[in-house]
Amino acid sequence: MPAMLIAGNWKMHKAAGETIEFCTALRAAVEGLDGVEIVVCPPYTSLDEAVRTLAGSEIHVFAQNAHWEPEGAFTGEVSAPMLAELGVVGSLVAHSERRQLFAETNESAARRIAGVLDAGLRVIACVGETEQEREAGETEAVLTRQVEAIRGAVENDDVHRLTIAYEPVWAIGTGRTATPEQAEEAHALIRSLFDVPVLYGGSVKPDNASVLLSQPDVDGALVGGASLDVEPFAAICRAGAEAAAAA
Ligand code: PGA
């Protein structure tokens, strides 16, 4: 039975105190859930508390970004070995907010992915088209370029530590999700280019999670807004466990 991965991307939310409270409650809420791997991605300053509070549980902690060099003169950046020392097991890379607001490119994303994998950590690499690109009929070309850049950064021995998240930019934080058919079509394309697990992201909520997660090429979800409260996030994790059991 393939395990589903449900990851919560907190973005710039939850300082250390709130992190301890949230992680304590999440542990209790998802205890004993089978067939689903649960990940939280707190901001850097809350990673240590998240790791400590979740120690001994099945919930893993990822960062939201990491630099490609292990150390150096890169003011304001954090490296993958620094994250590993905290007990963080992976990082998101190239989230669309990094691409749109912080000048992340396919080239810089590829360097980050290689750096994180070199440090022995896992990567969830994000791809997705903007609304303009979809309307111009460019979805396939955009996703192909993004996925090829990711594939070029991964050595064969490290492929098992890579997951891709398909997040159509027009669905992030908007309450609009891709239809299950649109998601499945994009996931199947991504998987034909690079055969790794593919998560769906973009306005995943408890009431749409089951139908999205039951698509054959959807291996989990990357959840933003609905991951900030324990109950909706736990409900999406339960939907993941049910989808895994039905697969
Ligand atoms: P959302 O965010 O669930 O709030 O749309 C998803 C993401 O940005 O990863």
Side-chain angles (χ1 to χ4, degrees):
M1 184 174 74
M4 285 270 165
L5 175 57
I6 307 292
N9 173 15
W10 296 1
K11 308 190 179 184
M12 200 168 70
H13 294 281
K14 297 193 194 299
E18 201 185 338
T19 294
I20 296 170
E21 211 177 296
F22 179 94
C23 290
T24 305
L26 181 64
R27 260 186 101 135
V30 299
E31 176 139 33
L33 216 51
D34 282 331
V36 61
E37 185 193 3
I38 302 170
V39 163
V40 293
C41 311
Y44 288 132
T45 53
S46 299
L47 288 171
D48 192 29
E49 283 73 13
V51 169
R52 286 172 197 274
T53 311
L54 295 170
S57 79
E58 304 277 308
I59 306 169
H60 297 130
V61 179
F62 275 47
Q64 297 174 15
N65 192 21
H67 196 263
W68 48 85
E69 292 292 341
E71 61 181 11
F74 301 103
T75 302
E77 292 288 318
V78 170
S79 76
M82 293 171 179
L83 297 171
E85 196 179 308
L86 282 182
V88 169
V89 300
S91 183
L92 301 180
V93 173
H95 185 274
S96 72
E97 285 148 21
R98 301 299 316 171
R99 291 181 187 266
Q100 298 210 300
L101 305 173
F102 301 99
E104 187 83 83
T105 62
N106 284 337
E107 291 68 35
S108 61
R111 296 176 77 184
R112 286 184 205 279
I113 290 166
V116 175
L117 293 173
D118 274 354
L121 300 189
R122 293 162 60 187
V123 170
I124 299 174
C126 305
V127 300
E129 80 288 357
T130 63
E131 181 153 41
Q132 213 181 8
E133 287 163 344
R134 178 164 279 269
E135 278 171 4
E138 291 166 3
T139 300
E140 187 172 335
V142 169
L143 292 178
T144 300
R145 281 197 299 274
Q146 292 173 336
V147 173
E148 292 298 348
I150 293 167
R151 199 168 62 129
V154 182
E155 313 263 350
N156 283 346
D157 287 353
D158 296 334
V159 173
H160 65 284
R161 283 189 280 119
L162 182 91
T163 299
I164 289 180
Y166 169 62
E167 300 201 297
V169 177
W170 46 271
I172 294 180
T174 59
R176 288 170 62 196
T177 47
T179 63
E181 295 73 28
Q182 284 171 326
E184 173 57 24
E185 192 184 355
H187 283 231
L189 167 70
I190 292 165
R191 216 189 315 259
S192 73
L193 297 165
F194 197 12
D195 191 17
V196 295
V198 185
L199 314 181
Y200 171 79
S203 297
V204 176
K205 309 285 176 206
D207 62 358
N208 61 26
S210 293
V211 63
L212 287 161
L213 291 170
S214 61
Q215 299 305 307
D217 285 299
V218 176
D219 303 307
L222 181 55
V223 185
S227 76
L228 294 176
D229 291 303
V230 171
E231 210 15 70
F233 188 57
I236 294 168
C237 294
R238 288 194 291 272
E242 280 162 24

